[in-house]
Amino acid sequence: QVQLVESGGGLVQAGGSLRLSCAASGRTFSSYAMGWFRQAPGKEREFVAAINWNGGNTNYADSVKGRFTISRDNAKNTVYLQMNSLKPEDTAVYYCAADLGRRPTIQTMTYDYDYWGQGTQVTVSS
């Protein structure tokens, strides 16, 4: 069992920055990959970024490449999403998720993730 708690969301103007955090507990954090997803009103949940167990490999959605950075601190059992140059279309509820599958490649589909946080709202005003 893994528990995930996101924080750091809020309201920001276009062009601004936010850093999301996701604190994990329950199993050895350094043994699994982590991902960030988001869901805007009326839309399906979509992949944003993911990172492998030791931070050596990352993957990003095309829509956030060059603006968002995912990282992790295994000593603190926490994964981060640094979001820069935010746009109104980034407005969504952001979820972190844990992939316990020990796959050799980073997964981008929601069904590959085993545990989810409750989400944190990010609103970008124009």
Side-chain angles (χ1 to χ4, degrees):
Q1 192 81 357
V2 174
Q3 295 80 39
L4 303 172
V5 180
E6 301 98 335
S7 61
L11 173 64
V12 63
Q13 288 189 334
S17 299
L18 281 174
R19 188 176 83 154
L20 305 183
S21 300
C22 173
S25 62
R27 291 186 64 167
T28 304
F29 182 67
S30 59
S31 68
Y32 51 87
M34 293 292 297
W36 285 97
F37 292 75
R38 66 187 182 187
Q39 188 166 17
K43 295 188 177 181
E44 293 191 352
R45 193 169 298 188
E46 65 175 4
F47 171 76
V48 175
I51 189 167
N52 74 331
W53 66 277
N54 67 354
N57 192 15
T58 58
N59 193 2
Y60 296 92
D62 288 342
S63 58
V64 307
K65 277 182 184 176
R67 300 188 299 122
F68 291 11
T69 302
I70 189 171
S71 62
R72 66 189 297 160
D73 185 340
N74 286 347
K76 295 183 178 180
N77 290 355
T78 302
V79 64
Y80 304 98
L81 186 68
Q82 177 67 45
M83 305 186 295
N84 299 328
S85 302
L86 282 161
K87 305 174 181 180
E89 51 263 43
D90 294 319
T91 295
V93 177
Y94 283 71
Y95 299 89
C96 67
D99 172 13
L100 275 60
R102 292 180 176 267
R103 300 174 182 85
T105 57
I106 289 178
Q107 305 303 302
T108 64
M109 305 302 291
T110 57
Y111 54 72
D112 285 320
Y113 286 78
D114 305 289
Y115 295 96
W116 294 81
Q118 82 288 349
T120 185
Q121 176 70 47
V122 172
T123 303
V124 184
S125 62
S126 58

